Amino acid sequence: VLGEVIVVATQTIIYREPMQSAHELYTEGHIAALEAGDIRNASLNYALLVIHLLWSGANLNVVKNKIAEAVRFMEQHSTLSILACVKPLLQTVDNLIKSNESPPSHETGVVLDGLAFDEKHPLASNTLNFHNLYISYVNRDFGATKYYTEKQFKHEIQTWILLDAHWIRTFICSLASFWIYRRTYDDQWLEKGNELKAKMKIWTESSEWNFVQLFHLLEAEGYFSKKQHDEAKISYDKAIHFSKKHKFIHHQAISCELAGLFSLEIGQESQSLGYFTQARKCYEEWGAISKSKSIVEFIQSTCSLRSQVTRC
């Protein structure tokens, strides 16, 4: 019973308390459930621990090792439905760490170790689709991002098991929506981005520590989409400032990267290089070596200041 109480209660705590505080609680829930012989809730606490570690910005090598431990535990105890929701995390972490990992293909689909993800497994399918969306967005693959975002909205499911991850799904889907709007000028995407941004604002009011930097980044992307460049610049800088202040290195990384793309778009190339330099360093500190390298490659292929790239 204690393991079940912890797994439910901890998912609500992050909407009020600093996100990093949940790590120990999920560990306690796993141990308590295991001691009680409750394998399902032991697995569920383990799953939510590794999900939480990834999205709260723990070092990716630490996260990868912990995911591997969780997978072995779930395979040993045959909690396959929970295992199916954990395995996509390995895909995401490997893609961020390893430069030789291929991005997901929205044409061929993905099968992990014989576990097919389809409509017969809605939670696992939704989880895999979101991770494909995340990887596509981080890799700046517009076609795949649009495909997976549309699929995410079409097959959105409501379950308390995803409560801990609801904020990250809202965050990434809003970012993707603003990007799609700027490429298509289809107003429905701007409306969707703003709708999700409004959710983040509500969460910011209950936990500024966890969400204010995310809200400011969504705010910046919204201003960028409406060509309100002065306001966008202020919001990007706020997102970077609070990400650093609240010790979310991965949020600092993506805030710097998007600020760099914004600056490049409005012709401020020198300023964009400064943002990209910060983004590269933050991604590297997080452990996202592949993403860090891709920032350097982007500068080399895009900016006229290529001679300065060795300083990044």
Side-chain angles (χ1 to χ4, degrees):
V1 175
L2 179 58
E4 184 175 3
V5 170
I6 291 175
V7 81
V8 174
T10 304
Q11 291 192 80
T12 65
I13 286 175
I14 67 161
Y15 291 92
R16 297 195 65 85
E17 303 296 331
M19 196 171 294
Q20 295 89 338
S21 65
H23 299 169
E24 292 184 5
L25 292 173
Y26 282 130
T27 301
E28 290 175 10
H30 169 72
I31 294 172
L34 199 58
E35 290 177 346
D38 184 353
I39 298 301
R40 181 182 180 278
N41 277 302
S43 296
L44 197 52
N45 272 284
Y46 219 156
L48 289 169
L49 170 63
V50 295
I51 292 169
H52 191 76
L53 285 171
L54 173 59
W55 299 130
S56 63
N59 181 270
L60 289 175
N61 289 295
V62 173
V63 175
K64 183 175 181 178
N65 290 335
K66 186 60 70 173
I67 294 172
E69 291 176 9
V71 167
R72 287 194 294 270
F73 178 85
M74 293 169 199
E75 288 176 339
Q76 179 183 352
H77 293 91
S78 299
T79 50
L80 299 182
S81 61
I82 301 173
L83 173 64
C85 295
V86 169
K87 282 197 171 184
L89 274 70
L90 279 176
Q91 167 189 286
T92 293
V93 172
D94 281 342
N95 194 277
L96 290 166
I97 293 175
K98 298 179 182 179
S99 59
N100 61 347
E101 290 292 317
S102 299
S105 170
H106 62 280
E107 297 176 350
T108 60
V110 178
V111 176
L112 297 176
D113 293 349
L115 289 170
F117 293 85
D118 54 34
E119 302 309 318
K120 296 179 182 178
H121 307 87
L123 183 57
S125 295
N126 185 272
T127 299
L128 179 63
N129 185 80
F130 174 73
H131 281 270
N132 284 341
L133 164 57
Y134 176 78
I135 294 171
S136 300
Y137 183 82
V138 168
N139 289 343
R140 307 306 292 173
D141 181 337
F142 177 76
T145 296
K146 186 173 183 292
Y147 172 83
Y148 288 119
T149 304
E150 290 173 335
K151 192 173 179 182
Q152 192 72 21
F153 289 146
K154 182 178 180 181
H155 300 289
E156 196 169 17
I157 59 175
Q158 300 294 329
T159 171
W160 67 267
I161 296 176
L162 293 178
L163 183 60
D164 194 343
H166 187 48
W167 66 269
I168 185 64
R169 291 170 182 243
T170 298
F171 176 58
I172 295 300
C173 286
S174 184
L175 288 178
S177 296
F178 285 129
W179 187 27
I180 295 168
Y181 170 74
R182 292 196 300 271
R183 291 285 295 269
T184 65
Y185 293 105
D186 184 339
D187 287 341
Q188 68 171 327
W189 290 107
L190 181 61
E191 292 172 4
K192 194 65 178 179
N194 284 326
E195 175 188 328
L196 297 173
K197 182 184 69 175
K199 286 187 178 181
M200 191 64 67
K201 185 176 182 180
I202 293 172
W203 294 332
T204 297
E205 293 169 356
S206 64
S207 179
E208 182 176 295
W209 180 276
N210 292 336
F211 303 119
V212 70
Q213 55 275 349
L214 305 184
F215 171 72
H216 283 307
L217 187 55
L218 296 181
E219 186 178 54
E221 287 286 284
Y223 283 136
F224 181 17
S225 298
K226 294 184 288 185
K227 302 187 186 302
Q228 295 176 252
H229 296 160
D230 291 342
E231 292 86 348
K233 172 68 168 60
I234 292 171
S235 292
Y236 282 120
D237 288 341
K238 284 182 178 179
I240 295 167
H241 168 75
F242 284 110
S243 295
K244 183 176 182 179
K245 180 180 179 181
H246 296 162
K247 306 182 188 306
F248 291 109
I249 192 66
H250 58 325
H251 296 160
Q252 187 180 348
I254 195 170
S255 296
C256 290
E257 181 184 7
L258 293 179
L261 291 169
F262 160 74
S263 298
L264 195 62
E265 179 72 18
I266 64 174
Q268 297 180 354
E269 189 173 275
S270 179
Q271 192 168 64
S272 75
L273 184 61
Y275 284 126
F276 287 135
T277 299
Q278 292 182 64
R280 186 200 66 78
K281 291 178 180 177
C282 290
Y283 278 123
E284 187 170 310
E285 183 178 339
W286 185 30
I289 305 303
S290 175
K291 180 60 183 178
S292 177
K293 290 179 179 178
S294 76
I295 295 289
V296 177
E297 292 168 358
F298 177 79
I299 297 171
Q300 290 173 327
S301 64
T302 305
C303 297
S304 63
L305 297 173
R306 294 184 182 90
S307 61
Q308 300 185 36
V309 73
T310 55
R311 291 159 48 187
C312 297

